[in-house]
Structures are given as C-alpha cells and as structure tokens.
C-alpha cells in the first residue's frame, strides 16, 4: 500500500467514524453533518446560480474561508457526477490539502467572480486555500479523487449495492470476464 493510499484510507476511517452518512445517502446532508462535526460549516455552492447562467470553467472548487468551507460544483451535470465532484472537494478538505506554487494565479479572476464582496487582499489570501478540480496531475488531485471513489465504494457496500437510491446492476458474466482480463493485462499499479 502506498503512503498516499494509506493517507486516504485513514481519512476515510476518520470521516466514517465521526459522521454517519445519512441513509439513503444525500451529499448535502452529509456535508452539513461533517461541517458540524468539524466545527466549521461546509457550504455547497451550485455554480449555475453563482455564475448567473454562464458555463462553469471547472467541475469543482474548494475555498476554505474564515467563516466556512465553500464547495463550488457544476450543478448542470448528472447527480452522480455532482456527488463525485463534491466528495472530491471534501477529500481535499479532510486531507488538509493546500494550493501550492504559482498554479493559484489563474484562479484569481475566478475568485473575483465568486467573491465580489471581498476586497483584493482578502481574495489574495484565499488563493492559498483554493483548490480547483481541473485535472489529476499532482498527488493532491489523485488523493482527492481516490477519496471520492473510495467513499462512494464504502457507501455502495453499506447500502447493499445501492447508489443514489438505485440498485447497482451486475455485469453479465461474459462482460465481467472481459473487465477482469483487461484489469489483469494492465497489471498492478496501472489500473
């Protein structure tokens, strides 16, 4: 097990021991409960409302501010994609990721748009706390995506195979065999 995988597993264990996910699972209720348990509210911010109908330039964004943690997400996608995006951003939060390097500079115009009531100094301060779901090139993005995926897998197990209130479909045996052969062909660490 890699160190990154172990970090994600520890974070998941901590989250699941401190907050029981609602049944059936509803991501908004879960975020409210997690925020209460952490003593810092988590506010879900649908981008279609924030951007006034403009197309979202990213899937998700986490901004940790003094009053709350804000999770911005593209609410024009499927419910499953929205949930995964929100859980990805929650992964950044519980894994205590921080923005690094100069990669934050392109986000300043986005923060101006999302927080017009903040002065420029306050937005500059938020840059170091803003993490945007735009790719998986660095370890933090891979950890956050792993958190979201493993969180959903744990929910699936706890719900007896149900995802978003629907029973998960089992693959026919011949299709499952194809998937198994493909996974074996890729080998460990490349899946």
């Amino acid at each position: 097990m890699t160190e990154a995988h172990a970090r994600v597993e520890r974070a998941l264990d901590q989250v699941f021991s401190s907050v029981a996910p609602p049944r059936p699972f509803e991501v908004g209720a879960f975020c409210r409960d997690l925020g209460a348990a952490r003593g810092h509210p988590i506010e879900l911010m649908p981008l279609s409302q924030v951007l006034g109908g403009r197309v979202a330039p990213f899937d998700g964004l986490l901004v940790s501010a003094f009053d709350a943690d804000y999770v911005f997400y593209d609410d024009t996608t499927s419910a499953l994609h929205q949930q995964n995006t929100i859980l990805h951003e929650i992964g950044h939060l519980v894994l205590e990721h921080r923005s690094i390097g100069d990669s934050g500079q392109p986000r300043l115009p986005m923060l101006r748009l999302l927080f017009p009531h903040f002065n420029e100094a306050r937005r500059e301060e938020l840059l170091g706390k803003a993490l945007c779901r735009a790719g998986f090139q660095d370890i933090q993005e891979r950890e956050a995506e792993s958190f979201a995926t493993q969180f959903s897998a744990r929910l699936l197990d706890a719900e007896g195979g149900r995802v978003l209130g629907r029973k998960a479909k089992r693959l026919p045996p011949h299709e499952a065999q194809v998937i198994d052969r493909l996974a074996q062909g890729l080998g460990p660490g490349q899946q």
Side-chain angles (χ1 to χ4, degrees), residues 31 34-35 38-45 61-72 89-90 93-94 98 115 129:
C31 288
L34 180 62
R38 296 177 79 244
H40 201 244
I42 298 171
E43 299 289 337
L44 298 182
M45 309 294 291
L61 171 74
L62 169 68
V63 178
S64 293
F66 57 93
D67 61 338
D69 294 304
Y70 295 93
V71 174
F72 296 89
E89 300 306 329
I90 295 300
L93 183 64
V94 300
R98 293 291 176 255
F115 295 99
K129 300 174 183 178

Side-chain angles (χ1 to χ4, degrees), residues 5 22 37 41 46 49 53 55 65 71 81 83 93 99-100 102-103 115 133-134 136 139 143 156 158 163 168:
H5 184 76
Q49 295 173 19
V55 176
V71 174
H81 187 254
Q83 176 177 296
L93 183 64
S99 182
I100 54 175
D102 294 333
S103 62
F115 295 99
R133 183 177 197 240
F136 305 106
I139 187 68
E143 282 183 348
L156 184 64
V163 176

Side-chain angles (χ1 to χ4, degrees), residues 2-146:
T2 66
E3 177 56 32
H5 184 76
R7 278 178 35 80
V8 170
E9 286 294 322
R10 285 190 301 270
L12 284 163
D13 290 344
Q14 183 179 7
V15 166
F16 276 84
S17 68
S18 66
V19 178
R23 289 188 182 192
F25 184 73
E26 198 282 305
V27 73
F30 170 74
C31 288
R32 184 183 57 248
D33 294 346
L34 180 62
R38 296 177 79 244
H40 201 244
I42 298 171
E43 299 289 337
L44 298 182
M45 309 294 291
L47 283 167
S48 69
Q49 295 173 19
V50 176
L51 298 175
R54 286 178 273 181
V55 176
F58 49 85
D59 286 343
L61 171 74
L62 169 68
V63 178
S64 293
F66 57 93
D67 61 338
D69 294 304
Y70 295 93
V71 174
F72 296 89
Y73 65 97
D74 182 358
D75 58 321
T76 64
T77 64
S78 71
L80 188 58
H81 187 254
Q82 290 174 46
Q83 176 177 296
N84 189 69
T85 298
I86 292 167
L87 290 173
H88 174 103
E89 300 306 329
I90 295 300
H92 281 308
L93 183 64
V94 300
L95 289 161
E96 299 178 348
H97 290 162
R98 293 291 176 255
S99 182
I100 54 175
D102 294 333
S103 62
Q105 279 312 110
R107 289 180 288 217
L108 191 54
M110 183 173 45
L111 291 177
R112 284 187 190 115
L113 181 67
L114 298 175
F115 295 99
H117 56 287
F118 285 175
N119 64 34
E120 204 64 22
R122 182 72 182 114
R123 284 192 290 265
E124 288 279 347
E125 179 184 330
L126 288 177
L127 265 182
K129 300 174 183 178
L131 290 152
C132 184
R133 183 177 197 240
F136 305 106
Q137 65 275 18
D138 69 30
I139 187 68
Q140 290 187 141
E141 289 302 316
R142 289 191 302 272
E143 282 183 348
E145 193 62 17
S146 179

Side-chain angles (χ1 to χ4, degrees), residues 168-180:
K169 294 181 181 177
R170 294 203 184 271
L171 290 175
H174 67 281
E175 290 179 14
Q177 289 172 351
V178 170
I179 298 297
D180 288 341

